[in-house]
DNA sequence: CGATTTTGACCCGCGC
DNA sequence: GCGCGGGTCAAAATCG
């Protein structure tokens, strides 16, 4: 899907916005309980360095407030066709942190994880024309299901990395099909694919900075830098 | 040829 | 206990 999509996610974000490789300024902050597998509903905060060429409206890095639910931020990893013009279409992303109960924008979760291991969930509601928001990781689709709660089918993806059980669900917003609801379920236990060997560190170092919930503790201080490299190989063909 | 997507079937939890 | 709904599996098809 999204076959014709050239660049998506971080990659596109970078390409479209002349986004400089994130330096020390870029970082994600997540509470240990969220990064680890405890699934606690803690504060979520992210920081993004201001992209060079985009309008403040769109690319201005928002720091998500630490509210219980219903976070808001500018799109950290929007699915873009290409260019800032396209980016503008994704001008807004609502990010909702889903506590382990699984409620938020998606209402499924009856089976899902409900009752199994408590894995962190993060949900995004993103205005986008493409369904899959690339986050730098390689996802493999393993299912598609029409759900009652929505006229739009829900797609199920699993991280391609061996041993990584992170999943994500993608579906169009039932109320407004222009929005894509993406739910990440779990935490990656590996670095963003694409970087051969050297950069691979034991995923869970004591690094204070970790990647976003949809990425993971893998690339502590330079999540995007890693992803940008990775995206150059993986995203385009994948989505 | 390998990786990924598609799609129907199956499984499981939950509510009635 | 049964039916429903959601999530996952797995074989076949497709694509690069």
């Amino acid at each position: 899907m999204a076959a014709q999509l050239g660049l998506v996610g971080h990659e596109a974000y970078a390409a479209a916005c002349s986004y400089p490789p994130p330096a020390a300024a870029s970082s994600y902050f997540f509470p240990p309980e969220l990064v680890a597998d405890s699934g606690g509903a803690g504060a979520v905060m992210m920081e993004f360095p201001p992209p060079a060429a985009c309008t403040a409206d769109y690319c201005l890095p928002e720091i998500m407030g630490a509210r219980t639910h219903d976070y808001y931020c500018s799109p950290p990893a929007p699915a873009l066709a290409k260019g800032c013009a396209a980016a503008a279409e994704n001008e807004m992303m609502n990010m909702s942190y889903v506590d382990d109960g699984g409620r938020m924008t998606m209402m499924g979760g009856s089976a899902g994880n409900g009752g199994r291991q408590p894995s962190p969930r993060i949900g995004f509601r993103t205005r986008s024309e493409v369904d899959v928001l690339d986050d730098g990781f390689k996802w493999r689709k393993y299912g598609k299901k029409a759900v009652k709660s929505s006229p739009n089918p829900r797609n199920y993806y699993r991280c391609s990395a061996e041993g990584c059980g992170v999943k994500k669900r993608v579906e169009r917003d039932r109320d407004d099909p222009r929005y894509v609801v993406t739910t990440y379920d779990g935490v990656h236990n590996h670095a963003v694919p694409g970087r051969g060997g050297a950069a691979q560190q034991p995923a869970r170092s004591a690094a204070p900075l970790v990647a976003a919930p949809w990425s993971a503790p893998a690339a502590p201080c330079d999540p995007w830098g890693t992803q940008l490299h990775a995206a150059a190989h993986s995203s385009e063909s994948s989505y």
Side-chain angles (χ1 to χ4, degrees):
Chain A
M1 347 210 122
Q4 60 235 72
L5 190 60
L7 303 174
V8 294
H10 294 293
E11 179 187 11
Y13 194 76
C17 306
S18 302
Y19 199 65
S26 74
S27 51
Y28 302 76
F29 295 93
F30 285 91
E33 63 269 33
L34 187 66
V35 176
D37 280 342
S38 61
V44 179
M45 183 170 77
M46 303 173 71
E47 288 183 358
F48 299 97
C54 278
T55 64
D57 275 10
Y58 169 67
C59 289
L60 178 71
E62 295 261 16
I63 298 179
M64 295 184 290
R67 288 185 285 167
T68 310
H69 297 286
D70 191 357
Y71 294 105
Y72 165 78
C73 69
S74 284
L80 310 179
K82 59 172 65 174
C84 280
E89 298 199 358
N90 301 275
E91 76 245 48
M92 184 182 297
M93 165 187 284
N94 292 323
M95 175 180 181
S96 303
Y97 174 63
V98 184
D99 61 86
D100 198 53
R103 349 269 174 255
M104 63 131 239
T105 42
M106 42 86 57
M107 32 215 99
S110 71
N113 251 339
R116 294 187 211 162
Q117 77 248 54
S119 57
R121 275 187 185 172
I122 298 289
F124 295 90
R125 184 168 167 273
T126 311
R127 185 169 150 187
S128 172
E129 290 181 9
V130 296
D131 293 337
V132 181
L133 308 182
D134 181 58
D135 45 32
F137 287 90
K138 282 188 82 172
W139 298 94
R140 183 173 184 172
K141 188 175 185 176
Y142 67 89
K144 179 182 180 179
K145 186 91 176 179
V147 293
K148 274 267 180 167
S149 56
S150 169
N152 306 308
R154 176 179 296 169
N155 295 293
Y156 299 88
Y157 297 87
R158 177 176 293 158
C159 182
S160 299
E162 208 169 327
C164 180
V166 178
K167 299 166 194 171
K168 76 173 178 181
R169 281 173 287 214
V170 178
E171 66 180 300
R172 288 275 165 190
D173 192 309
R174 55 165 297 185
D175 296 322
D176 189 346
R178 290 172 301 180
Y179 285 83
V180 175
V181 177
T182 304
T183 304
Y184 289 85
D185 196 341
V187 174
H188 297 277
N189 60 1
H190 59 92
V192 179
R195 290 276 288 253
Q200 305 294 334
Q201 305 241 328
R204 288 205 188 201
S205 56
L209 304 183
V210 298
W214 55 89
S215 49
C221 295
D222 186 14
W224 281 28
T226 309
Q227 291 178 8
L228 290 170
H229 283 283
H233 317 212
S234 60
S235 319
E236 185 167 345
S237 57
S238 299
Y239 301 108

